[in-house]
Amino acid sequence: MLKVNEIYKSIQGESSFVGLPCVFIRLTGCPLRCVWCDTAYAFEEGKEMTVSEVVQSAKSLGLSLVELTGGEPLSQKDAFPLVKSLLGHGCQVLVETSGAVLVTELDPRAVKIMDIKCPGSGMMETMLWENLNHLTGQDELKFVIKDKNDFDWSCSIIEKHRLQDRKILFSPVFGELEPKLLSSWILEKNIAVRMQLQIHKYIWDPDARGV
């Protein structure tokens, strides 16, 4: 059984899949408490569903691109068989994870979008760095950046762990860091990362749910 917060379709707002129609499966629960979290409603709210029910609900929305998100979706053990079942039903599956849960059991066909927690999140110490050893060429690393300290720290992590050949996403904390300022730091550093905005927050109200 899974505890599911919401299942809906929307425009993918982040990652290299940005702009594509996508079904989102938001699972309930998260062991982290990032200071800038925008989905605190998913900490507790949700209803019990079987893996089969979740798959059928997602498939009924008519899209093949599906993202599993949270909270931290992998904090529920049945998230792993859910991913496998979605893949078996012909879906392309993205899994957004904080890096605080070991990903070794995750089906390698799924695209992992791993959020490396910067100091400004308050959750930097939760990162399981061994997860970096289980990334494939299709996976992506996201750094949500609050300020210049977060930016400098992110650049140092990329160098320390030799992540330059990975798909790297730099995203400003919405409402706290001006995208123009983050863009200027990227250009000054000449670092090969993808600058990204949460475009769903520009299309709809930033606090809207299910879009």
Side-chain angles (χ1 to χ4, degrees):
M1 294 292 290
L2 291 156
K3 191 171 184 180
V4 181
N5 180 267
E6 55 187 350
I7 301 174
Y8 61 97
K9 66 178 176 180
S10 184
I11 298 297
Q12 177 60 255
E14 304 180 66
S15 79
S16 65
F17 294 83
V18 66
L20 293 173
C22 181
V23 172
F24 291 85
I25 301 171
R26 188 181 305 282
L27 298 186
T28 301
C30 186
L32 281 66
R33 291 295 183 268
C34 298
V35 297
W36 40 252
C37 180
D38 58 2
T39 51
Y41 60 85
F43 289 166
E44 303 293 340
E45 296 177 15
K47 65 176 182 179
E48 299 290 332
M49 299 177 70
T50 65
V51 168
S52 178
E53 287 171 338
V54 175
V55 171
Q56 292 307 312
S57 179
K59 290 287 290 180
S60 72
L61 295 176
L63 299 174
S64 60
L65 182 63
V66 178
E67 178 171 307
L68 196 62
T69 187
E72 168 51 73
L74 300 185
S75 63
Q76 295 194 43
K77 62 181 179 62
D78 282 345
F80 297 94
L82 172 61
V83 169
K84 188 177 292 292
S85 182
L86 287 165
L87 289 162
H89 281 80
C91 297
Q92 182 177 16
V93 181
L94 317 177
V95 178
E96 191 168 29
T97 177
S98 64
V101 178
L102 202 59
V103 298
T104 49
E105 293 182 38
L106 194 61
D107 192 301
R109 294 173 293 172
V111 176
K112 296 180 283 293
I113 303 172
M114 190 172 295
D115 192 345
I116 307 295
K117 297 301 182 183
C118 299
S121 71
M123 293 286 111
M124 183 179 66
E125 300 302 323
T126 65
M127 178 68 188
L128 297 179
W129 294 105
E130 63 184 289
N131 273 330
L132 297 180
N133 299 323
H134 305 295
L135 299 178
T136 69
Q138 68 179 355
D139 297 332
E140 306 184 6
L141 291 168
K142 179 174 69 172
F143 294 80
V144 180
I145 295 172
K146 184 178 180 181
D147 52 27
K148 186 60 160 59
N149 180 59
D150 275 1
F151 176 81
D152 292 338
W153 180 87
S154 300
C155 292
S156 71
I157 290 297
I158 291 170
E159 293 178 8
K160 177 181 178 181
H161 294 280
R162 300 178 181 179
L163 302 173
Q164 293 88 344
D165 62 339
R166 296 292 183 183
K167 296 178 181 177
I168 306 291
L169 312 165
F170 273 20
S171 180
V173 175
F174 186 86
E176 294 200 34
L177 177 61
E178 283 293 325
K180 185 184 295 185
L181 188 53
L182 178 55
S183 297
S184 71
W185 296 338
I186 292 171
L187 292 171
E188 288 170 8
K189 185 74 173 178
N190 283 335
I191 185 169
V193 300
R194 181 188 296 269
M195 166 75 179
Q196 69 163 21
L197 302 176
Q198 295 174 296
I199 67 166
H200 52 288
K201 293 186 177 180
Y202 292 89
I203 300 172
W204 295 284
D205 186 294
D207 296 321
R209 293 168 58 170
V211 294

